[in-house]
Amino acid sequence: MTQARVRALRSIEIGVTNLVVAQDFYTRVWGLTPVEEANGVHYLRGTGRFRHILSLRRLAQAALVRIVFDAGDPGAVDALHAQLIAHGVAASEAPRPLNNPGGGYGFGFKDLEQRNLAIVCDVEDHARALDDPDRPTKLSHVNLNSASNDATSQLLIQALGFSLSDHNDKFRFLRCNADHHSLVLGFNEDATLNHIAFEMPDLDAVMRGAGRLRDHGYPIEWGPGRHGPGRNVFCYFCGPEEMPIEYTSEMQQVDDGYRPGSPADWKWPPRRVDRWGLSDPPTRRVLRAQSLFRFTPDAYRLDSFSSPASGAGGFQVCAQAGDRPQLTFLSRFFC
Ligand SMILES: [Fe+2]
């Protein structure tokens, strides 16, 4: 039988302590557009057709709520659910019609490292894309730290149909469509968030966006530069409550003929951290932010929610913007 596959990274939901500040930042500064609010959750779209790509809710501590993937139809959703159960995933609700804004059909589950993930289809998306050269189009990828990279990668590949695009000494890059990667899994000690990346229309949009962020008091924490695996352009920032976020563009498009690289293929010359040789290393501030945020402990059911456990996520006094460590101190948190 043909393996069912997710076909896109659709959206991410995050919890913040100050919803007013976050809503203002992700709309007026970051460039998303409000769609609707329901049950205290604010839904924001990019210029692409997905109904929303980011949703915000207020929590006692900042945290990740869930990552949502798109599937082709109810049959694919059912098959993906069966593949997850066959792979040993125990914490999963049954596929069902959804009551969330946009409706659709799907289910939520926890992966092997207790992340809240969901698969949906038939969501009532927008009839047309917006035409705006300065706003994010969609989620590009989510980078997740992982203490069980081998097992989690196998789950994503065998149960959700992801393919390995590349592998270096810090990350595995996984794709579910022509984009070189939609998920990145780190080799770490914990299952926290590394960063959330939003696709911009082109390189100029990344650069103009970086200028807009700087104008509003959010300095560039890493970049501009061009990554190795994926060849995408990048600029990293710390958003409200230190959320690590990236503007990116020009993601490499690949197909089944792409040969995955290995760590030996992705060695940088001394002191270089991007293809151009232009970028300084990431700041201490963003390196620290790239391990702050956890998933809420029991929010995998799509219609349910409870507060995160004590100590989950949150932010504290941060390092000074622009404070960059020596290259020799840089860890496994950037690619
Ligand atoms: Fe990234």
Side-chain angles (χ1 to χ4, degrees):
M1 192 174 77
T2 303
Q3 182 192 33
R5 299 168 176 264
V6 299
R7 63 179 187 180
L9 171 64
R10 171 176 273 277
S11 62
I12 190 165
E13 181 168 331
I14 62 175
V16 296
T17 66
N18 192 325
L19 195 53
V20 173
V21 169
Q23 173 89 350
D24 178 67
F25 170 82
Y26 286 107
T27 54
R28 188 171 57 90
V29 181
W30 196 245
L32 303 181
T33 302
V35 177
E36 56 207 322
E37 184 272 337
N39 299 319
V41 181
H42 293 252
Y43 297 87
L44 311 176
R45 70 172 289 187
T47 58
R49 292 184 59 241
F50 280 149
R51 186 179 184 95
H52 65 268
I53 62 172
L54 176 69
S55 52
L56 305 168
R57 73 165 69 225
R58 199 188 74 75
L59 292 179
Q61 285 187 293
L64 294 183
V65 178
R66 71 174 59 84
I67 298 171
V68 181
F69 300 102
D70 190 64
D73 54 43
V77 169
D78 290 344
L80 286 159
H81 181 263
Q83 288 171 188
L84 284 164
I85 299 301
H87 202 86
V89 169
S92 174
E93 56 183 346
R96 58 191 169 76
L98 302 175
N99 296 319
N100 304 351
Y105 179 82
F107 66 96
F109 66 98
K110 274 194 177 296
D111 77 0
L112 306 175
E113 296 188 89
Q114 303 303 300
R115 302 180 186 90
N116 303 317
L117 307 178
I119 299 171
V120 302
C121 72
D122 291 349
V123 176
E124 190 177 335
D125 286 325
H126 302 285
R128 59 180 63 86
L130 304 175
D131 183 16
D132 191 319
D134 285 306
R135 291 178 180 270
T137 55
K138 65 176 185 177
L139 279 185
S140 168
H141 57 277
V142 179
N143 185 315
L144 298 165
N145 302 317
S146 172
S148 301
N149 191 306
D150 289 351
T152 301
S153 294
Q154 286 307 302
L155 175 75
L156 293 167
I157 292 169
Q158 295 176 2
L160 299 189
F162 277 81
S163 299
L164 177 68
S165 287
D166 269 300
H167 170 205
N168 64 16
D169 58 357
K170 303 179 183 68
F171 300 106
R172 281 194 173 104
F173 299 81
L174 300 168
R175 70 177 182 274
C176 59
N177 51 41
D179 287 348
H180 177 275
H181 55 272
S182 296
L183 275 185
V184 184
L185 276 183
F187 295 95
N188 314 96
E189 291 87 29
D190 208 351
T192 50
L193 172 71
N194 189 288
H195 64 270
I196 306 166
F198 294 77
E199 183 189 82
M200 295 293 270
D202 54 29
L203 169 59
D204 264 12
V206 171
M207 301 300 269
R208 289 193 304 271
R212 184 170 66 245
L213 269 286
R214 283 161 54 100
D215 287 346
H216 287 84
Y218 295 87
I220 298 171
E221 303 293 344
W222 187 28
R226 187 180 286 280
H227 281 308
R231 295 182 188 168
N232 47 317
V233 173
F234 64 86
C235 270
Y236 288 75
F237 308 88
C238 291
E241 309 188 19
E242 293 301 282
M243 185 61 67
I245 47 179
E246 175 188 2
Y247 276 151
T248 190
S249 70
E250 301 186 359
M251 178 68 79
Q252 184 177 6
Q253 300 296 287
V254 302
D255 58 23
D256 289 344
Y258 183 79
R259 183 186 69 81
S262 66
D265 298 312
W266 297 112
K267 297 291 186 189
W268 294 116
R271 304 196 65 79
R272 179 166 286 212
V273 295
D274 81 295
R275 283 179 184 259
W276 292 333
L278 177 65
S279 177
D280 286 326
T283 63
R284 289 184 189 279
R285 178 184 179 183
V286 75
L287 288 174
R288 178 177 175 279
Q290 288 175 337
S291 60
L292 283 180
F293 297 95
R294 297 182 178 283
F295 282 81
T296 52
D298 54 359
Y300 74 86
R301 296 177 191 279
L302 281 169
D303 294 334
S304 67
F305 188 79
S306 66
S307 297
S310 174
F315 72 104
Q316 301 156 28
V317 177
C318 61
Q320 291 292 309
D323 175 20
R324 296 175 194 274
Q326 297 296 311
L327 272 174
T328 49
F329 294 132
L330 293 180
S331 67
R332 53 204 170 277
F333 290 116
F334 69 95
C335 47

